[in-house]
Amino acid sequence: MRALTWEGKHDIALKHVHDPTILNPNDAIVRVTTTAICGSDLHLYNGVIPTMEKGDIMGHETMGEVMEVGSLVKNVKVGDKIVIPFDIGCGHCHHCQDEEFSACDNSNPNFVIPEKLYGYSGAGLFGYSHMYGGYAGGQAEFIRVPFVDTNSLVIPPGIDDEKVLFLSDIFPTGYMAAENCNIKPGDTVAVWGAGPVGLMAIKSAFLLGAERVIAIDHFEERLKIAQEIGAETINFKEEDALTEELRFLTGGRGPDSCIDAVGLEAHGNTILNAIDTVKQKTKLGTDRPDALRHAIQACRKGGTVSIPGVYGGFLDKFPFGAAFGKGLTLKMGQTHTQKYMKPLLERILNDEIDPSFVISHRFNLEDGPEAYKNFNEKKDEFIKIVMKMQ
Amino acid sequence: MNTSQSPIILESRDKQRGFFSSTNSPLEPEQVYNFCQNKENVEKVLQGLPLDLDNFLELVLDNSKQAGTDQYELRWINKPQSKFEGSLTFYIIGAPANRGSLVTAIADFEKINFKTSKPSTLIEIFLRRMKALMETGEIPTTKGQTSGRKEHLLH
C-alpha cells in the first residue's frame, strides 16, 4: 500500500510499504477513505517529539471501511464505515472502564519509556512515535485498528466523510477543552490558538453556554474564521499588553477560563519565547510554553486554564506562583476521544455543528509531503488539510 | 485492606533475591490467581520477551495456595534437571479501597541470557503483558508492522 512516512525532521515521503495484517483477535483492518493532517503532526514533522523512526507511518485522524476483523471482535463488522479515535483504549482496564481512554493501562506496548519520563504511561496513539506504542498511522491506504470494538464509531450510511472525520480528534479535543472549563452561562472564555483545535474549542464553548469567546492568534486568516463563528479576536503580535487588553475586554476581571490550544511550539513575541526557541533548537530545553504563560497570567482569580495543546517535557519559567496565587484550576491531557464521539455525532446529525468548516485544503495522499511543508510554513492560508483516497 | 500491613508482601520482599514488579488489575484476586495458575497463560506472556528461552519453557507449578482472605501465592519453577534453576513467584492480594488486585511478580533465575534488557525491566514488562492478556485476552503489539518494526523497550 501507499503511505506517508516520517523520514526525519522536515522530511515526509510517500512510500510503498507492506499492508497491515491482523495481529491480535480484537484487531480490524480498515481501508482508509479520508484522513487529515493534524497540527500535532507538525510537532513530529519538526522533530520535537522523540522516539520517531525513519519509515514510521504518520496520521491519527482517520476514517474508513472495515475490511477484516479478528476473531474476538463483536461490535464492528466488515463493510462498516468507522471513524477511528487517535488514542487507543483497550476497553477493559480500570481507566477505560472509567472512560479515561487516553490513560489506558494496556494499549501501549512501549509503556516503559513514558513510565520512566512521567511515572505512568498513557495509552498508545496512532502514528505518534514509539514512545506511544509505535502504532502505524492512518495517512495510508490501510490501517490496523487494535481493540476495534472500543476504538471505532460506526457511522450511519449516507453521511459525508468530511462531516464526521474530525470526531477522530480535533472536535472531541476542542470539546473536552471547553468542557474542562466548567462553563457557566455568561462566562467569557479566551482561546489561545485559532487553529483547528482552537476553532473547535471556540465552537464547543458556545455550545456549552459561553456568552463570549475571545480568540488570540497572529494568523489573520485564522482570526477571520474565529470571527465568522462568533468569537472576538486579538492579534497578539499587534498587542503589546495582552493581559491588560483581556482585562479591559472583560470588565476588569479577566476571562473566566483560558484555553491553551497551542502547546509546545508557541510563536510568542516575548523575550521568554526567544529564549525558549534557542533552548529548544539547541536541545537545552524541550517546550516553548509562551501561550500557556499568557493564559495563566491573564486568567481571572479562581478561573480555569484548560490545556488541550500538546506538551512533552519540561517547562521553563512556568508561572506556577501566579496559578497558585490566583487559585486557578488547571485541567489538561490527551482527549478521551471515545467518550465524546457518540454524543458529538448526535450534535452533528442534529445540525448543531458541521466541523468541516475548518477545512482549508483538500488533497490526495501523493500531495502529502508538499502539504506538510506548506502547512508547517503556514503558506497559502493552510488551516486544515484533508486527504481523500482515490 | 492496608497493603503495607500485608504479611505476605512484606515477607516476600524481605526474602526475595530476584527482581520484582507490582501492578494493579481491576480483576478480583481469585480471578488473577486462576489466571496465573494456567501454564498456557504464563508461557504466552513469556514468549516474545528477549530471553534465551531454550530449556526455559519447562515450567512446573511448585506452590499454589490461598494464603488468607483475598491473598494468594503461587510459584512456577523450571523443571528439575534443566540447564538452570529458577522460579517465577506471584503474590496476589486485594488492593485497598476496592481497587481490584495488587499483583507482584518475582523472577529469580540464574544463568539466564537477558540479552540487552535489564532484568528489572523485563519482569516489569512480563507483568504488564500478563495484565493485558488477563484483562483483554491479548497482548498488545505492533511487531512486524511498518511502524512497529521493533518494540523499543525490548531492545
Side-chain angles (χ1 to χ4, degrees), chain A residues 222 360-361 363 371 374-375 379-385:
Chain A
R222 295 179 176 218
S360 61
H361 292 75
F363 291 123
N374 290 331
F375 188 27
K379 279 183 181 168
D380 196 22
E381 302 184 348
F382 273 67
I383 294 171
K384 190 67 182 176
I385 299 160

Side-chain angles (χ1 to χ4, degrees), chain B residues 84-144:
Chain B
F84 49 85
E85 291 180 358
S87 67
L88 184 58
T89 308
F90 296 97
Y91 294 97
I92 305 147
I93 65 170
N98 294 317
R99 290 179 171 209
S101 303
L102 175 66
V103 190
T104 300
I106 299 174
D108 185 3
F109 286 94
E110 293 177 347
K111 298 180 188 173
I112 197 164
N113 179 2
F114 286 107
K115 295 189 177 170
T116 54
S117 291
K118 282 192 271 182
S120 55
T121 305
L122 272 178
I123 188 65
E124 194 182 345
I125 296 166
F126 168 84
L127 193 57
R128 291 292 289 276
R129 284 164 63 87
M130 195 189 81
K131 170 181 158 65
L133 181 64
M134 192 163 58
E135 293 174 8
T136 73
E138 67 178 53
I139 300 168
T141 182
T142 57
K143 216 159 196 174

Side-chain angles (χ1 to χ4, degrees), chain A residues 24-25 29 47 49 80 138 169 180-181 218 222 240 261 285 315 347:
Chain A
N24 270 331
I29 302 298
I49 302 287
D80 281 347
D169 181 355
N180 279 343
C181 293
H218 66 117
R222 295 179 176 218
D240 290 335
L315 276 57
R347 285 189 184 266

Side-chain angles (χ1 to χ4, degrees), chain A residues 215-257:
Chain A
I216 300 143
D217 205 313
H218 66 117
F219 294 110
E220 286 299 337
E221 66 275 13
R222 295 179 176 218
L223 291 172
K224 186 165 170 283
I225 296 175
Q227 274 180 344
E228 286 168 5
I229 59 172
E232 298 157 60
T233 59
I234 297 175
N235 184 330
F236 68 81
K237 292 218 166 154
E238 295 172 357
E239 185 54 62
D240 290 335
L242 186 55
T243 300
E244 284 70 21
E245 177 66 8
L246 283 165
R247 186 184 299 150
F248 180 77
L249 288 172
T250 53
R253 190 184 291 173
D256 299 290
S257 309

Side-chain angles (χ1 to χ4, degrees), chain A residues 95-263:
Chain A
H95 295 286
C96 286
Q97 293 288 305
D98 272 7
E99 296 191 309
E100 298 171 344
F101 296 96
S102 71
C104 175
D105 269 346
N106 291 321
S107 64
N108 184 357
N110 294 342
F111 69 92
V112 165
I113 304 169
E115 273 197 1
K116 282 200 169 76
L117 284 172
Y118 303 146
Y120 293 90
S121 167
L125 308 176
F126 287 106
Y128 217 78
S129 84
H130 289 261
M131 180 166 77
Y132 288 109
Y135 287 99
Q139 289 165 11
E141 289 177 309
F142 297 93
I143 183 171
R144 166 185 165 246
V145 183
F147 303 113
V148 71
D149 281 338
T150 300
N151 301 307
S152 60
L153 176 71
V154 177
I155 301 299
I159 298 177
D160 186 6
D161 280 13
E162 289 186 1
K163 277 187 100 167
V164 293
L165 172 65
F166 301 135
L167 289 168
S168 59
D169 181 355
I170 58 170
F171 186 16
T173 297
Y175 191 87
M176 187 171 110
E179 192 180 73
N180 279 343
C181 293
N182 194 22
I183 293 167
K184 296 180 181 65
D187 272 6
T188 298
V189 180
V191 179
W192 272 256
V197 168
L199 292 169
M200 291 296 169
I202 292 167
K203 271 280 196 185
S204 300
F206 282 127
L207 285 173
L208 290 167
E211 185 170 307
R212 296 171 67 203
V213 180
I214 302 168
I216 300 143
D217 205 313
H218 66 117
F219 294 110
E220 286 299 337
E221 66 275 13
R222 295 179 176 218
L223 291 172
K224 186 165 170 283
I225 296 175
Q227 274 180 344
E228 286 168 5
I229 59 172
E232 298 157 60
T233 59
I234 297 175
N235 184 330
F236 68 81
K237 292 218 166 154
E238 295 172 357
E239 185 54 62
D240 290 335
L242 186 55
T243 300
E244 284 70 21
E245 177 66 8
L246 283 165
R247 186 184 299 150
F248 180 77
L249 288 172
T250 53
R253 190 184 291 173
D256 299 290
S257 309
C258 294
I259 295 175
D260 169 10
V262 176

Side-chain angles (χ1 to χ4, degrees), chain B residues 20-123:
Chain B
F20 82 92
S21 179
S22 297
T23 192
N24 170 269
S25 174
L27 300 177
E28 293 300 317
E30 189 177 0
Q31 291 175 286
V32 178
Y33 177 62
N34 291 337
F35 179 91
C36 293
Q37 280 187 310
N38 185 325
K39 185 178 174 182
E40 196 178 312
N41 290 336
V42 178
E43 287 179 345
K44 191 168 181 181
V45 176
L46 283 166
Q47 285 161 6
L49 289 178
L51 292 167
D52 180 359
L53 289 174
D54 290 343
N55 295 304
F56 183 75
L57 292 176
E58 296 182 87
L59 296 174
V60 284
L61 196 57
D62 178 57
N63 177 33
S64 176
K65 67 180 182 189
Q66 182 164 6
T69 308
D70 276 352
Q71 297 196 8
Y72 299 88
E73 178 181 343
L74 63 97
R75 180 166 64 240
W76 290 93
I77 60 167
N78 220 12
K79 194 174 171 182
Q81 281 81 52
S82 297
K83 273 187 180 171
F84 49 85
E85 291 180 358
S87 67
L88 184 58
T89 308
F90 296 97
Y91 294 97
I92 305 147
I93 65 170
N98 294 317
R99 290 179 171 209
S101 303
L102 175 66
V103 190
T104 300
I106 299 174
D108 185 3
F109 286 94
E110 293 177 347
K111 298 180 188 173
I112 197 164
N113 179 2
F114 286 107
K115 295 189 177 170
T116 54
S117 291
K118 282 192 271 182
S120 55
T121 305
L122 272 178
I123 188 65

Side-chain angles (χ1 to χ4, degrees), chain A residues 266-337:
Chain A
H267 294 277
N269 54 349
T270 62
I271 290 171
L272 285 180
N273 194 59
I275 295 169
D276 292 338
T277 304
V278 170
K279 289 176 79 173
Q280 198 177 52
K281 282 188 173 164
T282 55
K283 308 283 184 195
L284 290 170
T286 55
D287 299 19
R288 304 195 318 247
D290 210 50
L292 183 56
R293 289 190 193 110
H294 279 295
I296 288 173
Q297 200 70 18
C299 195
R300 75 157 166 83
K301 290 184 281 186
T304 299
V305 174
S306 167
I307 311 164
V310 172
Y311 287 91
F314 300 93
L315 276 57
D316 195 14
K317 305 287 188 299
F318 183 76
F320 206 80
F324 182 83
K326 293 193 288 181
L328 300 185
T329 298
L330 304 183
K331 300 196 84 171
M332 65 197 85
Q334 297 282 9
T335 310
H336 308 304
T337 317

